[in-house]
Amino acid sequence: MPMQFLKSYEPRILFFLTLLGCVVSFIGCHDAKIWVLEAAPVLLGIPFIAFYFKKFRFTPLLYRLLFLGSSMLLVGAHYTYSRVPFGLWLQRTFFLKRNHYDRIGHFFQGFVPAILAREVLLRKGVVRHGFWLSFIVVCVCLAFSAYYEVLEWWAVAFKLDNSGDFMGAQGDMYDAQWDMFLAFVGSCMALVFLSEEHDYELSQVVGIKRKQY
């Protein structure tokens, strides 16, 4: 019974934990303006998820991934990516030249949207399973990653990020290329390792067999 209750209310629990995470992340954040810029995907996603919750309920797997991705963004927003303690620990432990927490974040920038794009494309009947589904999903993730790099550029160009914390290049001239490459790797790994589980959950949520959606 407790497990059944948890499964029924898991999306709501994760939603309110994300709201709580926004509050905790903002309190004592390094820079309020940078926090807004870095937490923007979460802040924009919350009303979208709430509005479409009854009309278009996602699979449990996707809700968990969205929560994981949101949590990583909110941690980065609180400290700014170059100051996240876990990244600094990695830098000291492995003698790295920079804090690589943002690299992890960009990996998940491909990993999480891949399942989101896959779910929407399948359930809306845009494309069926096969090569073209995977190709379009990866392209969507790369487009999202590239647009995010453009946003970082605009933030500097319009002097919204005078410190460079939002861009987070940390002196790496190939930072944008690394970010997009890691998003690409993340999207591919999500498709390789999660597609089977995602198909099973789609069959449970949508109520139709794989070949039909």
Side-chain angles (χ1 to χ4, degrees), residues 2-21 49 53 57 63-64 67 71:
M3 286 299 297
Q4 191 175 24
F5 174 85
L6 182 62
K7 287 182 179 179
S8 299
Y9 286 90
E10 183 181 15
R12 294 180 176 86
I13 293 171
L14 294 177
F15 180 81
F16 285 109
L17 284 176
T18 303
L19 289 177
L20 178 62
I49 295 293
F53 181 71
R57 185 171 297 195
Y63 280 121
R64 293 168 195 148
F67 175 71
S71 299

Side-chain angles (χ1 to χ4, degrees), residues 14 29 51 66 68 72 146 148 171 176:
L14 294 177
C29 64
F51 181 78
L66 289 171
L68 174 62
M72 295 196 66
Y148 209 83

Side-chain angles (χ1 to χ4, degrees), residues 124-160:
K124 289 297 184 179
V126 178
V127 64
R128 294 181 179 273
H129 286 84
F131 168 79
W132 287 109
L133 171 63
S134 298
F135 178 77
I136 293 172
V137 166
V138 171
C139 286
V140 168
C141 293
L142 282 172
F144 177 72
S145 179
Y147 182 65
Y148 209 83
E149 296 303 316
V150 172
L151 289 179
E152 291 181 353
W153 165 46
W154 286 348
V156 174
F158 291 103
K159 302 189 184 302
L160 298 175

Side-chain angles (χ1 to χ4, degrees), residues 127-201:
V127 64
R128 294 181 179 273
H129 286 84
F131 168 79
W132 287 109
L133 171 63
S134 298
F135 178 77
I136 293 172
V137 166
V138 171
C139 286
V140 168
C141 293
L142 282 172
F144 177 72
S145 179
Y147 182 65
Y148 209 83
E149 296 303 316
V150 172
L151 289 179
E152 291 181 353
W153 165 46
W154 286 348
V156 174
F158 291 103
K159 302 189 184 302
L160 298 175
D161 178 27
N162 294 324
S163 64
D165 285 328
F166 179 56
M167 179 171 280
Q170 300 182 62
D172 184 356
M173 64 182 295
Y174 297 114
D175 180 67
Q177 288 83 356
W178 268 110
D179 292 347
M180 288 185 284
F181 172 71
L182 288 168
F184 168 74
V185 172
S187 64
C188 291
M189 291 190 68
L191 291 174
V192 170
F193 292 107
L194 298 181
S195 289
E196 186 175 346
E197 174 64 22
H198 190 220
D199 284 338
Y200 171 76
E201 292 197 1

